[in-house]
């Protein structure tokens, strides 16, 4: 349980720690919450929000996590861990006055082992979105995002990225200046030593590199 508009960092850490070695689901109900330090998700544990589709403005009653400005990834997924049904926002990066000089950070969601996954996740203001390099059998589905640098970085064997949607120019305010900057900076999917990677039904609009 968590009250809306509160910092739920300690509650989430306590919950995932209780599931360490046994696995299970940590459910975060719909609402807007803050997480102020890195959450390491143990093997076999899923962080689960309240929605079954990924879009910041397109689904009622989402679970929204406002991330503070860490020097580390917000979520680190150990093998067979995942995240499902949440929106993660860096509030300052969505501010029109700050979007020209966004806060840079490592990937919001980082994999650290095989069989990690991210499903039904919205990332409307990450600098780097998901990093599953070195993660065999990774799985990404229904990720929607606007990002400033790299949307998804993948590596390892037998990974899948499917049914995802990136409109990266939106963070620049749909101005000509913003679109030109997006066309010179952003990479939607970056492959690092991938082997047998499948990309299916993934859409992007605005970047220089798809």
């Amino acid at each position: 349980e968590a009250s809306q508009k509160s910092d739920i960092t300690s509650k989430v850490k306590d919950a995932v720690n209780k599931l360490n070695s046994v696995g299970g689901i940590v459910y975060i109900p719909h609402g807007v919450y803050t997480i102020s330090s890195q959450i390491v998700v143990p093997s076999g544990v899923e962080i689960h929000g309240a929605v079954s589709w990924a879009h910041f403005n397109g689904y009622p009653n989402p679970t929204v996590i406002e991330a503070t400005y860490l020097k580390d990834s917000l979520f680190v997924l150990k093998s067979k861990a995942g995240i499902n049904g949440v929106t993660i926002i860096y509030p300052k990066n969505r501010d029109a006055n700050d979007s020209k000089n966004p806060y840079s950070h490592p990937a919001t969601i980082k994999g650290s082992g095989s069989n990690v996954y991210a499903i039904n996740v919205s990332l409307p203001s990450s600098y780097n979105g998901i990093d599953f390099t070195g993660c065999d059998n990774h799985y990404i589905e229904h990720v929607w995002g606007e990002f400033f640098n790299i949307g998804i970085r993948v590596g390892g064997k037998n990974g899948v990225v499917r049914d995802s949607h990136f409109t990266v120019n939106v963070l620049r305010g749909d101005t000509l200046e913003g679109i030109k900057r997006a066309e010179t900076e952003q990479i939607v999917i970056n492959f690092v030593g991938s082997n047998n990677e499948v990309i299916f039904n993934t859409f992007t609009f605005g970047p220089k590199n798809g």
Side-chain angles (χ1 to χ4, degrees), residues 13-33:
K13 287 186 176 182
D14 287 345
V16 298
N17 288 338
K18 287 178 182 178
L19 295 175
N20 190 18
S21 78
V22 296
I25 293 173
V26 175
Y27 177 70
I28 305 174
H30 74 84
V32 181
Y33 312 98

Side-chain angles (χ1 to χ4, degrees), residues 40-63:
V40 177
V41 184
S43 180
V45 174
E46 178 180 290
I47 301 294
H48 194 97
V51 300
S52 58
W53 194 260
H55 201 295
F56 178 57
N57 293 318
Y59 206 94
N61 300 321
T63 297

Side-chain angles (χ1 to χ4, degrees), residues 16-198:
V16 298
N17 288 338
K18 287 178 182 178
L19 295 175
N20 190 18
S21 78
V22 296
I25 293 173
V26 175
Y27 177 70
I28 305 174
H30 74 84
V32 181
Y33 312 98
T34 296
I35 290 181
S36 53
S37 65
Q38 185 180 84
I39 305 290
V40 177
V41 184
S43 180
V45 174
E46 178 180 290
I47 301 294
H48 194 97
V51 300
S52 58
W53 194 260
H55 201 295
F56 178 57
N57 293 318
Y59 206 94
N61 300 321
T63 297
V64 179
I65 295 170
E66 293 188 347
T68 54
Y69 299 95
L70 309 178
K71 296 184 181 296
D72 301 308
S73 297
L74 189 66
F75 287 100
V76 175
L77 307 177
K78 296 294 187 179
S79 63
K80 300 181 182 179
I83 187 165
N84 188 342
V86 301
T87 293
I88 302 171
I89 299 175
Y90 294 82
K92 183 178 178 181
N93 283 357
R94 287 191 64 82
D95 190 308
N97 294 323
D98 293 315
S99 62
K100 293 182 180 179
N101 297 292
Y103 174 82
S104 62
H105 57 84
T108 301
I109 302 168
K110 181 174 176 57
S112 180
S114 61
N115 297 285
V116 292
Y117 60 93
I119 302 172
N120 302 326
V121 173
S122 295
L123 301 171
S125 56
S126 290
Y127 189 79
N128 294 299
I130 296 173
D131 184 352
F132 282 176
T133 55
C135 299
D136 294 347
N137 306 311
H138 55 261
Y139 188 80
I140 296 170
E141 180 180 10
H142 292 150
V143 171
W144 175 83
E146 304 157 354
F147 59 89
F148 291 96
N149 189 40
I150 297 175
I152 295 174
R153 187 191 296 268
V154 290
K157 297 180 293 184
N158 305 323
V160 175
V161 180
R162 62 170 297 164
D163 298 309
S164 295
H165 185 131
F166 300 92
T167 49
V168 298
N169 63 306
V170 174
L171 279 172
R172 306 298 187 184
D174 285 329
T175 64
L176 180 59
E177 175 189 354
I179 291 171
K180 285 181 177 179
R181 182 168 178 178
E183 289 174 346
T184 60
E185 291 183 347
Q186 293 160 315
I187 301 172
V188 177
I189 301 177
N190 182 224
F191 302 96
V192 183
S194 294
N195 187 342
N196 198 36
E197 186 83 29
V198 175

